[in-house]
Amino acid sequence: MELFSGGELDRMFMEKSGCVNYSYTPWVSENSDVYERAIYYKFEKRISRYRVEVTSTQQRSLLEGKGWLLQEVMNFHGVPLGDFFNVSKSNLACS
């Protein structure tokens, strides 16, 4: 679970993925096995021609001692309105 611990590995992974100005809040316990944090970053120009900013809320919960379930709600800011958007792992484009 080191990747989602909020350390340097998180930052390196996000920067290699094309996300800049990556910041996060510490994990806060919602109850005994559920933790939540907020994340913010921008897409580099090579990822999107628009100045897309992302705010995200992540929630992780323990899965019966077998690992973690990570749920995320993402909000995209700066994406122009349109009839069709193609979102893929490495590219955000408006058609």
Side-chain angles (χ1 to χ4, degrees), residues 12-67:
M12 286 180 6
F13 178 80
M14 293 299 283
E15 287 175 359
K16 293 242 185 231
S17 300
C19 303
V20 295
N21 298 339
Y22 176 72
S23 63
Y24 54 87
T25 62
W27 288 104
V28 176
S29 178
E30 295 295 311
N31 63 41
S32 62
D33 291 333
V34 178
Y35 298 87
E36 189 171 289
R37 73 175 180 172
I39 295 175
Y40 168 83
Y41 56 90
K42 294 179 182 179
F43 287 132
E44 284 183 343
K45 290 190 183 245
R46 68 181 174 91
I47 301 297
S48 172
R49 62 182 169 207
Y50 307 107
R51 289 195 73 153
V52 177
E53 298 181 23
V54 178
T55 54
S56 173
T57 302
Q58 290 182 336
Q59 190 176 67
R60 71 179 186 188
S61 53
L62 196 57
L63 285 176
E64 301 172 12
K66 298 179 182 177

Side-chain angles (χ1 to χ4, degrees), residues 64-83:
E64 301 172 12
K66 298 179 182 177
W68 292 93
L69 170 65
L70 184 67
Q71 296 175 304
E72 184 167 21
V73 175
M74 299 175 79
N75 293 299
F76 294 92
H77 310 279
V79 177
L81 298 175
D83 294 333

